[in-house]
Every structure is written in structure tokens, then in C-alpha cells.
Amino acid sequence: QQHKRTGESQLVTVKPSTTSEYNGRSINNAKHAELVQISADQDIIMITESWLQPHKKQSFNIPGFKLMSVDRSSRRAGGVCMYARQNLSLNIVNEYTSTTVSAMWVALHRVSLPMSIYATIYHPPNLKKAECDQTIDYITSTISLLSTGYHNAKFIIYGDFNDLKTKPITDLFPLQQLVWFPTRKQNT
């Protein structure tokens, strides 16, 4: 499979995209070193709870990857980011942050393969029902909007949803939830 390098006319051959999700819970030097190791066999790394601050992003670059992020300015915690290999042709198609959600959606363009839309989403725990409904509304409206603009796109949504009930999303769209249990601490 061939992918067109962003900003260049040269086509390069790469393996199918491999992705992973990582709950950063604050990217620091030790976690950055772990991400560098993980990056060896990944094309895209989605991170929730990045806690990145704009003036510190340069400290957490990974050679051969571009770093994109949506930071929360209203709170210390939260935020999402994504490392993607520089040879992938992708662009941010939606980014959003509020008190109830941080999200980034990117479109991955691949020659001879369907478009893929990757999302990384963070929904904080212990929110009121109305706030959870806002997150569900945001996710469903974004999928609807992007489905219209990117026909036949495959959606891959990674995230830390905490106590958000995702059934309303999977009832509306042909998505399958793969993780049904906590993945932190002893559950990893």
C-alpha cells in the first residue's frame, strides 16, 4: 500500500497503519521515554489525559513523528494528543475542548484504501447527566458531520470515557465497543 507524503509529491510504501491508545495522565520525561519505545512499532499513538501545556510541547517530540494536541486551558488535567508518523497523509478534521470533553479527529488518506477517521477523546469522570449528554451529543453530531463529508470512511475511536455510557453512540452508528472494563492500575 502506498501513502503520499504530506507536502511532497513522492509516494512511499508503508505497512498498514498500526495504532495504540495510551492514557498519559500527564506526559512527563519518564512517560515520554516510554512513548519513544512504543513508537518503534506504531504509526499512530493516541493519548488521553496528556496534560500538555503549549510552552512544553517541544520537549516531548519523537523523531519521525508529528505531535498534534488539543489542550485544556480551563483545568490542569485532561487534553488529548496524537503522535503520527511524518510519512502518513493525515489532517485534523475536528478538534474540540470544553469542561466535558477534549477531542481530536483526524482523517488518514491512503491510496487504494478507504479513508479512516481516527478520534481520541477524553471525557472526565463524575460529571452530571446533562454534561454526559453534551458529550454524547458532541460525539454523535461529529460522526454525522464527518460521515457526510467523508463517504465510506472507517471510524476508529479511542478514548478514556470514564463513566460515560456509550450505548447511545453504538445504537446510532455501526461501531463496536471493544473494551468493557477499566484499563488502569491492576487492570492493564
Side-chain angles (χ1 to χ4, degrees):
Q1 298 151 12
Q2 293 185 334
H3 299 256
K4 190 173 185 177
R5 291 191 117 162
T6 304
E8 297 179 19
S9 60
Q10 175 184 7
L11 290 176
V12 295
T13 301
V14 297
K15 65 185 184 288
S17 299
T18 55
T19 61
S20 63
E21 198 276 340
Y22 183 88
N23 185 319
R25 199 125 197 270
S26 180
I27 297 177
N28 56 32
N29 290 337
K31 290 179 183 174
H32 178 252
E34 184 178 343
L35 288 168
V36 170
Q37 288 181 337
I38 291 170
S39 72
D41 61 354
Q42 298 295 307
D43 296 314
I44 300 171
I45 304 169
M46 311 277 201
I47 301 171
T48 56
E49 290 196 80
S50 58
W51 299 16
L52 283 177
Q53 298 171 355
H55 64 281
K56 292 187 177 182
K57 285 182 194 172
Q58 294 291 358
S59 305
F60 299 113
N61 285 333
I62 296 176
F65 284 77
K66 54 186 148 196
L67 172 60
M68 301 163 283
S69 69
V70 175
D71 307 317
R72 290 179 68 184
S73 58
S74 61
R75 297 173 58 166
R76 177 179 67 104
V80 295
C81 70
M82 179 185 308
Y83 288 96
R85 288 203 182 273
Q86 290 176 344
N87 65 341
L88 294 178
S89 178
L90 56 82
N91 60 299
I92 297 174
V93 292
N94 186 287
E95 54 185 21
Y96 181 76
T97 187
S98 72
T99 56
T100 62
V101 67
S102 295
M104 179 188 318
W105 304 70
V106 299
L108 175 61
H109 309 272
R110 298 178 291 185
V111 176
S112 303
L113 291 173
M115 167 86 61
S116 295
I117 306 288
Y118 288 89
T120 183
I121 300 171
Y122 174 69
H123 173 81
N126 306 317
L127 295 179
K128 296 175 183 163
K129 182 184 181 320
E131 295 170 315
C132 292
D133 291 345
Q134 288 174 359
T135 298
I136 294 293
D137 289 346
Y138 164 72
I139 294 171
T140 57
S141 64
T142 301
I143 294 171
S144 292
L145 177 70
L146 294 176
S147 294
T148 302
Y150 297 95
H151 298 288
N152 301 319
K154 178 174 76 170
F155 285 80
I156 303 99
I157 301 173
Y158 290 86
D160 181 352
F161 295 101
N162 287 296
D163 49 7
L164 183 70
K165 307 296 183 225
T166 58
K167 189 168 180 357
I169 301 167
T170 57
D171 284 349
L172 283 173
F173 301 99
L175 299 171
Q176 180 180 10
Q177 184 162 340
L178 300 177
V179 178
W180 291 95
F181 53 88
T183 58
R184 283 198 39 213
K185 300 182 181 172
Q186 67 270 26
N187 295 318
T188 58

